[in-house]
Amino acid sequence: MFPARVRARASASRPASERGSAVVEFVLVGTLLLFLFLGVIQVGVVLHIRNTLAADAAEGARHAANLNMADDSGGPYAEKLIASSIPGRADTRCTSAATTNASGVPLVEVRCEVAVPLTVLPGGARTTISVVGHAVKETP
């Protein structure tokens, strides 16, 4: 593609001490890009789990807020939903209780938390995600 004279000039213009430095730079930059890519994936996984957890906690609160349901039935219902939505999350804990808001409206509150492994960090680090779901309690 290039005449031999141009190729010879390009290789002759580099000092001998810099030969092979492209490989080292590629490895260093590639490692940084790999960790950046894995970090973005980890943030996406944590946000997906958090959003699914929040939706299931709110659904558990709506379940417990129905007229003939006990206030504490929302926690186990939310745990069942989480088990079917996010497989492998056996360490999920959900509780529900009756409460009122600032205006005195009766509510059902479901609190859920789950431990999520951080796969990018070495040593099996984990973080705990906690969410709260509310629903207005039906009254006769």
Side-chain angles (χ1 to χ4, degrees):
M1 180 176 209
F2 290 110
R5 193 176 71 205
V6 174
R7 280 185 286 168
R9 245 186 306 159
S11 64
S13 64
R14 270 190 235 149
S17 63
E18 288 188 19
R19 291 189 187 186
S21 64
V23 174
V24 174
E25 289 175 5
F26 176 77
V27 169
L28 292 173
V29 172
T31 303
L32 290 174
L33 287 176
L34 177 68
F35 278 111
L36 179 68
F37 179 70
L38 290 175
V40 168
I41 288 177
Q42 182 66 57
V43 168
V45 167
V46 169
L47 287 177
H48 169 70
I49 290 174
R50 182 191 150 284
N51 289 341
T52 305
L53 194 66
D56 291 341
E59 187 62 34
R62 284 190 286 274
H63 172 78
N66 286 332
L67 186 59
N68 294 326
M69 299 301 291
D71 293 334
D72 60 351
S73 67
Y77 186 75
E79 286 177 357
K80 282 188 219 172
L81 289 174
I82 293 166
S84 66
S85 300
I86 310 171
R89 299 287 165 229
D91 53 353
T92 304
R93 293 178 304 279
C94 294
T95 59
S96 63
T99 184
T100 58
N101 67 2
S103 303
V105 176
L107 300 174
V108 174
E109 177 180 277
V110 174
R111 292 184 177 271
C112 295
E113 60 181 40
V114 65
V116 179
L118 300 177
T119 56
V120 175
L121 298 176
R126 299 171 76 82
T127 185
T128 302
I129 300 174
S130 300
V131 296
V132 179
H134 292 97
V136 176
K137 181 72 174 166
E138 294 180 1
T139 56

